[in-house]
Amino acid sequence: MSDWIDNVPAGWSELPLKRWVDQRITDGPHETPVLVDEGVPFVSAEAIQDGRIVFEKQRGFISAEAHRVYCRKCKPMRGDILLCKSGATTGKLGMVETDDEFSIWSPLALIRAHWQKADPRFLFYALQSSYIQNQIQRRWSVGTQPNIGMGVIETLSVVGPSKREQREIGDFLNRETARIDSLIAKNRRFLELIEERSTSEVVSVLTGQTRSPSKVSGTEWIGNVPATWEVLPIARTTHLAETGPFGSQLHAGDYEPGGVPVINPVHLREGKIEPDENSAVSTETAARLRRHQLAEGDLVLARRGEVGRCAIVSSREVGWLCGTGSMKLRLKPGHDPQYLNLLMATPGPQEQLLLHSVGSTMPNINPTIMSRLVVPVPPQNDRTAIVNEVTEIRRTAQKLKEKIDSAIEYLVEYRSALISAAVTGQIDVRNYRPQEAAALCQ
C-alpha cells in the first residue's frame, strides 16, 4: 500500500482515481458565461454544501444553446460526483441526485464511476475519507487560493474492494450517515430554540415585561412598561451621535498597520471591540481626526450593513477612532451604556433601524435616524438589576449552547471517522455495532 493509507483487507485494490472512472475526469468551461433571466441552471463551487448540490446557490441561468455547447465537454448525470478543485472549498464534494439538466463551471471537476468497477456511492464516500482528503491537501498548489489540477485529481490513490462489497459499504454509509445527520440537525435545532428562548427572555427583562408593566409605551415592539419607566427617543438620552470620517477625511493611503485602531462594524463582535492591526492609522492622522476619537463609555454601532451591532468602549479603547462604517453615541449623565448596549442587540431596535434605513444596495443609518429611535428607559435604581439578570440569562444559554456544540462536534468527527473506516476496510460493515463508535473517534 502507498504512504497515504495503512493496511487494507486482502483482495482490495489500490488504483489511481482515473482507473475507477467511466470517462476522463473533466471540468466545466473556463470561460465566463453570459447569464440570462431564465434557462438552464449554472452551478459552481458555492453550490456544493454538505455533500449535496444546493441549486438555490447556483450562479444563475445560461441559455439552452450555451448549455448544449458546454455539454460537449461536460454533461452532469445522476450518480456523478462533483469535486471542488479551486478556492476555499477545494476538496468538498457533492453527488448529482437529479435527472434535471444543468451545467457546471470550471471550479468543479466531474467524476463518473466506472459501471463495472465502482459503485458511485462508495466512490463518493471514499473521496470524502481522510486518506484522500489528505492527498488533496498535500498536493494542491496555493497561490491566492488553493487549487488542485486535473492531472493531480486523476492520480489520487483510491483503495476499494469488489463492486458487491462496495455496494454493501455504500448502503451502510447511506444508512448510518443519514442517522448521524438527523442527530446533527436535531442538535442544531436545539441551538436555535435556545437562542430564540433566551432572546425572548432578554427582551422581556429589558422592556420591563417581568416588572408588572402597566403604562402604554405607544411603541409596538416595546409594549407596555412599568409605571416608573420612561419611553424616549435616543436623542433625549445622548448628547452626541456622530458617524465616522467620510470621503476625503480618510483615504486608503492613510492606513498604517500597527497604528491607532479604526473601528468599523467588522470589529464589533458580541458586544466587544476586537481591533485589526491592519485597520489603523498613524498618530498624526489620529490627531487630525480627533473629533472621531472614542471615549470610555461611548457606544459604537454599525451604521451600515448589519445595522445596530454595537459595543461599549472600555478604557483600553480610549483614543481609538470611530470608522467610516460606524457611529458613536455618547450618553448623557444618568444613562447607562450597558443597558443600551444590551437593548440594541435585540431584534426590536434593529428592525426599527432597518425599517427607516436608507440606501438601495446596503442599509445605512445616520444620526438623524438613530436619534428618532424610541427606547424604554428604566429608572437608574432598576438598571443594575436588569443588566445582571440579562447577563445571567445569556450565561445560562451559553453554557447550554456549548454543550450542544460539543455534541455536534463529536457527531461530525464520528461521521468522518466512520466513513474513513468503512471505505478502507477497517470495520466490517456487515457486523458493525454502534458501540465501536468511541474507538473510531480516538
Side-chain angles (χ1 to χ4, degrees), residues 16 101 142 169 214 240 260 304 316 324 347 379 394-395 432 435-436:
E101 293 203 2
V142 179
I169 293 171
S214 59
L240 177 66
V260 178
R304 64 188 183 193
R316 180 188 70 145
T324 301
R394 289 189 166 176
R395 187 190 67 81
Y432 177 76
Q435 293 89 329
E436 300 175 46

Side-chain angles (χ1 to χ4, degrees), residues 286-355:
R288 175 170 61 81
L289 299 172
R290 57 185 175 275
R291 67 173 291 178
H292 300 291
Q293 288 179 341
L294 302 175
E296 187 170 2
D298 284 353
L299 277 183
V300 186
L301 302 99
R303 68 164 192 85
R304 64 188 183 193
E306 193 177 336
V307 297
R309 183 195 292 192
C310 61
I312 301 176
V313 177
S314 69
S315 58
R316 180 188 70 145
E317 294 103 28
V318 170
W320 292 5
L321 296 179
C322 178
T324 301
S326 301
M327 179 187 301
K328 67 178 179 182
L329 297 180
R330 191 161 294 162
L331 302 187
K332 292 178 179 179
H335 292 279
D336 188 349
Q338 284 187 303
Y339 170 81
L340 188 55
N341 184 47
L342 292 171
L343 185 70
M344 293 302 298
T346 63
Q350 294 178 359
E351 289 169 0
Q352 290 301 304
L353 290 174
L354 282 172
L355 181 64

Side-chain angles (χ1 to χ4, degrees), residues 73-145:
K73 179 186 181 188
C74 180
K75 183 179 181 181
M77 298 173 60
R78 181 183 288 273
D80 286 348
I81 300 163
L82 302 183
L83 168 67
C84 298
K85 64 184 185 69
S86 64
T89 57
T90 299
K92 299 294 184 184
L93 296 130
M95 176 166 271
V96 179
E97 297 177 326
T98 180
D99 294 315
D100 295 339
E101 293 203 2
F102 65 96
S103 278
I104 64 172
W105 206 13
S106 57
L108 295 176
L110 185 146
I111 300 166
R112 182 168 297 158
H114 193 286
W115 68 278
Q116 288 181 315
K117 298 179 181 178
D119 178 79
R121 295 168 306 162
F122 174 85
L123 192 57
F124 172 63
Y125 286 119
L127 291 170
Q128 296 178 57
S129 68
S130 58
Y131 84 95
I132 290 184
Q133 288 294 311
N134 286 339
Q135 292 180 63
I136 291 173
Q137 292 172 20
R138 293 184 189 182
R139 297 176 67 185
W140 66 30
S141 58
V142 179
T144 55
Q145 58 184 1

Side-chain angles (χ1 to χ4, degrees), residues 165 252 315 320 359 427 439-440:
E165 291 178 88
S315 58
W320 292 5
I427 57 172
L440 290 176

